[in-house]
Amino acid sequence: MLWPREEFHAAYAQIKHDALQGGGTCSILLLVALDVDALCAAEILTRLLRADMLSYSLLAMRGYEDVLEARETRIRSADGRVRGGMELRSVILLNCGAIVDVAKLLALPRHVKCYVFDSHRPIHLANLYDEHQQIVVFDDEALPLDAYPAFGPDLDVEDWENDSSEDEQDTSEGEAEVPEDTNVEVGDKRGRDNNNEHDVENTKRRRNESADLTTQEGIPALDVKRQRRQAILRYYRGSFHGAPAATIAYEIAQQLNRATREILWFAIVGLTKQLVLEEIDMDNYNLLIARYQDEVLAMQQTTVAHSTNELFPGYDDGKLTFEEEYRFLCYRHWSLYEAMYYSDYVASKLGLYDTQVRRLGASKALETTTLESNLHVFLARMGISLRQSRQQFAYMPLELKQLLRHKMHEMASEFGLDDLFYGSFQRQFAFQYQLCAADAVYGLQALLEAPERYIASVFETETRAREKALVTLFAQDTSMSSSLWETQDPDGNTDSFRQHNFMLAHTALACHSVTSSKLMESGIQVAMALKQAIVRVGLSIMQRKLLVRVKHFRYVCLHVPENEQELFANANVLTQLALFLLNVHRASGKWGGPPTRGRQKVVNEESEDEEDRDEDVHETTTAIVPLVLITRNPQENCFLVIGLTCPSTPGEIHRNTLGTAFKLAAGETGANFRQDGFTSAVMEIQIDEIQNFVEQLHNVLDA
């Protein structure tokens, strides 16, 4: 069922009531997707549960196969036996479950309810019209109520395949088909003719009955059925994102009058994650930021009154401050020059990558320090020398840092950096440590996504003994449930990689201790190393001209070094690479540039290479075709495929229709494939069928 927004507190009250009815045992199971938004939502909900003295179990999920494994070990076994008797009462899904039929996925016992906090859209209609009232989906009001198709027997598109043949018979014009096998005996032929005559009569009778069936409004029933199916197809067409799960969890805390600055900070970080990955448009983001700005002002205490009635500046650990944030990558944690160079927005607007690849090639683009570029000119116009810009930002002259914002505002429009700033928040930890929301997202995302070996190589003093000591310290953190550290299920199987990364990120999020603060700093260092790897691979793609353009999409098959294959065999990292390529080519005008008339280079239909001849070209459209990235996953011995829609204007969000196209194309190839991720436009397919898959994808999109 779709739970109304004004009644979110009632859903939490039901969770609490069911937990108390369970007799005080661990009656709540949280299944958390491995992303920053779900992590923040989990932190908010677990704080509410701990405040009510409710025990819970928390597990990290990478895909729906992990959800099925959790079902067999925690909910219901493969033979249908209910696990744990009547102890489990509530299952909470964080950023997973909305786009699938949860009742079929989890096979919930009648005494268990499932609560879905998921930003992925569209919501599966079976979750909205659950006949047993066991599935609760929180309404973020992303769509009006009349946008959801009404209840009916055909809520799932896959169910239509069963009765498609009947519809074809009902709508056919009565042309007979000649059987292929005509070599039969006379007696058999007569019997078959009699049967065929009987079948024709039955078909005519069904067609006449269907033609006579009309609705109360006088519309034929078949037309009503077609209209309903068209409405459902429109509803399911393309995936997108609704409100972040962390903002829904914060609204529950707010309705319960338990909203604190820490909980508000988690909601802000979850919202910023969607902005960083371009999952939310700027209008909706600014609306939520304005709302949270009012919340911060209401919570903030700026002075502390002492017994002498003298007012002092209030020292307040955890203080939140609104400010206009630069679109620079973690500029507080390395030099200003590197933060601007590795910022997709700044580099694409100034044409840094395109210029360097064209002049030097990708192998030398990152090594040069003398190339005159727009970035150097931009810094010079602001009065910042290269030596100063290459210093650690923390060690830059104080006067220069104080004047930096004013100079940026003054010079940004001249260089086309009109959206150089965006509204955000930063949090104060004690007197020294400050962290902005975007930096927290980058650090947590790196801890969640980077391979364990990659994280260990970035940590300066990482050794095996130190890792064991850190895990011991994390396990002693009293702010976390002991069930979080369960890396072994009842059957004895371990998944140390997933749980270890989740433990690191969960500990770093709170920043309560020196250990967690240092862990966040290490995560930010990992994020900067990840960005350097993404830029390095992106420049290599541009230099080698690996992007291939077909009629309805562009694609590239990555050839990354062996030591980085594990890094890029991650859907989120691959998505960041796709966003990098989109921003660079869109800003340069190569993809979706403004309509122009004149002599231009002719682009070959089969590749991104420019031909030598010129001709008059009139560009009539600025639409950008989707981008598909393919890379090898060495662990699974398959290819990982992701699809990204490419809006012509930065800040816009379009529905991603590639998930359905991937499934249809893979089905045409007959290859083994898997769509296990919580995002539909991600697929794993067997290695020897990848070329056939690309051809079938072109045919599907061309249909």
Side-chain angles (χ1 to χ4, degrees), residues 329-330 333-334 342 442 446 521 523-533:
L329 181 69
C330 304
H333 305 273
W334 56 0
Y342 287 106
Y442 287 121
E521 287 287 347
I524 293 174
Q525 296 297 323
V526 174
M528 294 187 292
L530 284 177
K531 186 62 178 182
Q532 290 174 329

Side-chain angles (χ1 to χ4, degrees), residues 3-42:
W3 201 264
R5 192 163 199 151
E6 61 274 6
E7 297 293 333
F8 282 178
H9 64 282
Y12 179 81
Q14 184 66 44
I15 295 175
K16 181 179 178 181
H17 175 268
D18 293 341
L20 296 177
Q21 292 294 322
T25 58
C26 187
S27 60
I28 303 173
L29 174 63
L30 291 91
L31 305 181
V32 187
L34 280 177
D35 68 66
V36 177
D37 180 29
L39 180 67
C40 294

Side-chain angles (χ1 to χ4, degrees), residues 503-517:
M503 287 190 296
L504 293 177
H506 198 288
T507 305
L509 175 61
C511 286
H512 274 313
S513 61
V514 175
T515 301
S516 60
S517 299

